[in-house]
């Protein structure tokens, strides 16, 4: 197989309810960049490292950031500003199409930027900083 169609991927936003949280897709998302997982590397090279090659071990992990682009509609999207105002992380999910699974994570919205060009559509981009370990669920 050469690849999978990304059409239908969603970024869903949790409502924070307990004990059962409900997730709703953010409307009119045109592009999603899921969490970019990273790990620090710690240099443990010593004078005794074999053949004078640097040696490394893994350090702390970072869930990176999530970015979305949307066809901006203030009536549908201005509620996201509450996420920007909230300092506490909220639950989100990237849900892959065709039951391929999901990536659930807590994140703080760190950026919301709308644009209204004279010759194009209203658009906005949102950036979320992942807090903690994403939960990756593999689908069928």
């Amino acid at each position: 197989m050469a690849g999978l169609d990304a059409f239908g991927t969603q970024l869903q936003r949790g409502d924070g309810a307990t004990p059962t949280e409900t997730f709703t897709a953010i409307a009119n998302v045109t592009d999603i960049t899921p969490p970019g997982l990273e790990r620090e590397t710690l240099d443990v090279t010593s004078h005794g490292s074999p053949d004078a090659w640097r040696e490394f071990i893994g350090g702390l992990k970072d869930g990176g950031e999530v970015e979305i682009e949307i066809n901006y509609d203030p009536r549908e999207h201005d509620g996201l500003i509450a996420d920007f105002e909230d300092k506490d992380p909220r639950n989100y999910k990237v849900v892959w199409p065709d039951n391929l699974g999901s990536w659930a994570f807590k994140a703080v919205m760190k950026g919301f930027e709308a644009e209204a060009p004279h010759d194009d559509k209203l658009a906005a981009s949102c950036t979320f900083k992942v807090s903690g370990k994403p939960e990756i669920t593999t689908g069928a």
Side-chain angles (χ1 to χ4, degrees):
M1 176 173 22
L4 298 170
D5 188 355
F7 183 79
T9 303
Q10 297 180 342
L11 179 63
Q12 297 181 352
R13 179 179 179 266
D15 65 4
T18 55
T20 305
E21 186 166 28
T22 300
F23 285 83
T24 304
I26 296 173
N28 296 312
V29 175
T30 60
D31 192 25
I32 301 171
T33 303
L37 308 179
E38 297 179 24
R39 178 193 290 270
E40 292 178 354
T41 53
L42 307 174
D43 188 339
V44 294
T45 307
S46 71
H47 290 288
S49 291
D51 299 319
W53 283 94
R54 290 192 178 276
E55 297 179 282
F56 297 89
I57 60 171
L60 293 174
K61 295 176 260 185
D62 187 333
E65 295 182 348
V66 173
E67 296 179 3
I68 62 171
E69 301 289 329
I70 56 178
N71 290 327
Y72 179 50
D73 181 340
R75 298 165 297 189
E76 291 185 7
H77 297 112
D78 281 355
L80 290 172
I81 300 299
D83 292 0
F84 179 78
E85 293 292 337
D86 192 356
K87 66 178 182 161
D88 295 324
R90 173 179 288 274
N91 292 324
Y92 296 91
K93 286 183 191 178
V94 172
V95 179
W96 307 113
D98 302 323
N99 296 318
L100 293 173
S102 65
W103 287 24
F105 53 92
K106 291 185 176 297
V108 175
M109 182 186 280
K110 66 178 259 181
F112 183 96
E113 186 173 343
E115 62 181 3
H118 76 280
D119 60 350
D120 204 353
K121 65 185 178 186
L122 286 173
S125 60
C126 303
T127 305
F128 305 85
K129 178 62 183 154
V130 176
S131 177
K133 180 181 179 180
E135 179 183 325
I136 298 172
T137 303
T138 303

